[in-house]
Amino acid sequence: MMALPQRVRIVEVGPRDGLQNEPGELGIETRIGLVERLTGTGLAYIEAGSFVSPKWVPKMAGSGELLKRLHRGAGVTYAALTPNLRGLEDALASDADEVAVFAAASETFSERNINCSVAESLARFEPVLQRAREAGVPVRGYLSTVIACPYEGDVPAERVAELADQLYRMGCREISLGDTIGRGTPGSVTRMIESVAQRVPVEHLAVHFHDTYGQALANILASLQLGIGVVDAAVAGLGGCPYAAGASGNVATEDVVYMMEGLGIETGIDFPRLCQTGAWITEQLGRSNQSRAGQAWLAAQGQAADG
Ligand code: HMG
Ligand code: MG
């Protein structure tokens, strides 16, 4: 077990992974409002949208307009998903600072999510990575279903390691390991990361937990103990995945930041402003706040104001 890092970089995926799956109406103003409020919390990396087919994921339509109209914060990276060359060209035209390709560790999830096999997806990413390199835009690589697939069940850690290695060798600067349906525990997550870290340097790995089984924080702590220093999270625990029925949202950013503060790990994020942003977006969406820490902090503010 390694010493915990002094600093952790949080990748805020709420405006993408969160909002892509929200059932309610979602105006572009609300999406811009969310990204700008998140910018105000001190987050340095925000995944703002997605350049995918609007027929497949209607909620991410207009991501180009969002990126163009956004008031950007100095030193903040605004990223977007790009499944193919067309998505990449649109992202470049909107001045995305960074882009992400996304593959899966299980065949059925790959077919359902991006309509091609895992091997076909990697072949499709080659020109995306090449063009991004020419444009000087770094590429993140997501790998989904690293613990389990909603259609195929448990996914072997060795397969995850093999694919993470391929994405890394293809030029992804960081591989985000996604427990898409939140089935992992510190046991299975530790085994998976140990396997991947034999092939990809741990400094180039990130973790992406959905909190379906309530294990996300424990899984993050286990990941930090293995040397991981980048954690994906969504404010208010927004979202789910359109191609993974029953999967709940990402771990809530507020919960992650609260835990980091308790561990003495710097994130650069203002916890109260983050909680206020979580309250704002859940009110806009008319949905409940999935962050336990956020809810607790907001309730304590209410009591202080009443008392
Ligand atoms: P396809 O049908 O195989 O490809 O879709 P196609 O090239 O035949 O295109 C189909 C239609 O999409 C055409 O339009 C294209 O023009 C259009 P039509 O002729 O039918 O009117 N199209 C596009 N439109 C806008 N932007 C583009 C684009 N490309 C094609 N870039 C495709 C392949 C990948 C496009 C499709 O399957 C798709 O968009 N899938 C969306 C998948 C997605 O966004 N999933 C959610 C994100 S992944 C995730 O959440 C997991 C993650 O969080 C990690 C984790 O938790 O595990 C990252
Ligand atoms: Mg996800």
Side-chain angles (χ1 to χ4, degrees):
M1 197 183 293
M2 291 187 200
L4 293 177
Q6 289 185 333
R7 201 179 161 80
V8 159
R9 184 160 60 85
I10 295 190
V11 169
E12 170 61 47
V13 296
R16 194 279 304 171
D17 206 352
L19 297 188
Q20 74 182 4
N21 204 36
E22 280 301 323
E25 268 309 302
L26 203 61
I28 192 86
E29 303 299 337
T30 311
R31 290 168 65 193
I32 293 174
L34 176 61
V35 178
E36 291 182 350
R37 279 171 173 81
L38 290 167
T39 301
T41 69
L43 275 157
Y45 194 113
I46 304 173
E47 199 169 72
S50 189
F51 291 91
V52 296
S53 162
K55 285 189 187 147
W56 283 65
V57 185
K59 300 288 164 173
M60 289 293 103
S63 289
E65 182 188 346
L66 180 153
L67 279 167
K68 282 183 198 144
R69 285 179 47 195
L70 196 63
H71 289 102
R72 301 186 184 209
V76 180
T77 298
Y78 297 94
L81 295 194
T82 54
N84 52 22
L85 210 41
R86 166 162 174 201
L88 177 71
E89 292 299 348
D90 289 350
L92 294 178
S94 321
D95 281 330
D97 298 309
E98 198 164 317
V99 297
V101 293
F102 48 108
S106 70
E107 289 295 339
T108 317
F109 188 82
S110 182
E111 293 285 353
R112 302 279 170 102
N113 193 36
I114 49 176
N115 204 24
C116 62
S117 69
V118 173
E120 283 164 348
S121 75
L122 297 180
R124 199 182 274 178
F125 298 155
E126 285 284 4
V128 176
L129 280 149
Q130 192 186 326
R131 174 78 184 94
R133 204 175 302 124
E134 285 162 15
V137 169
V139 182
R140 192 169 204 243
Y142 278 103
L143 192 57
S144 288
T145 59
V146 297
I147 298 289
C149 166
Y151 313 105
E152 295 176 20
D154 290 351
V155 172
E158 180 53 31
R159 177 70 177 144
V160 177
E162 203 179 295
L163 290 166
D165 187 35
Q166 283 191 47
L167 286 170
Y168 182 61
R169 283 168 191 265
M170 283 167 67
C172 293
R173 68 151 189 89
E174 177 173 291
I175 313 300
S176 175
L177 301 165
D179 181 10
T180 317
I181 53 173
R183 196 107 40 96
T185 65
S188 53
V189 165
T190 297
R191 286 191 291 281
M192 183 273 295
I193 293 175
E194 281 174 348
S195 171
V196 176
Q198 284 177 15
R199 306 233 198 162
V200 181
V202 77
E203 310 81 67
H204 293 278
L205 296 176
V207 286
H208 179 106
F209 292 112
H210 287 260
D211 203 21
T212 323
Y213 282 78
Q215 303 293 298
L217 281 183
N219 291 341
I220 290 169
L221 184 56
S223 307
L224 299 183
Q225 287 168 341
L226 294 167
I228 299 276
V230 184
V231 174
D232 299 1
V235 68
L238 294 177
C241 174
Y243 301 100
S248 66
N250 294 85
V251 65
T253 316
E254 298 92 314
D255 295 2
V256 177
V257 170
Y258 183 78
M259 182 173 85
M260 299 298 169
E261 284 187 0
L263 290 166
I265 297 173
E266 276 173 48
T267 61
I269 297 168
D270 181 330
F271 177 70
R273 286 184 90 163
L274 186 63
C275 293
Q276 286 158 354
T277 303
W280 179 82
I281 188 63
T282 47
E283 198 185 317
Q284 298 297 311
L285 296 169
R287 62 164 284 169
S288 59
N289 191 331
Q290 299 299 304
S291 168
R292 298 287 292 271
Q295 281 177 35
W297 185 85
L298 291 162
Q301 301 313 298
Q303 280 161 13
D306 292 345

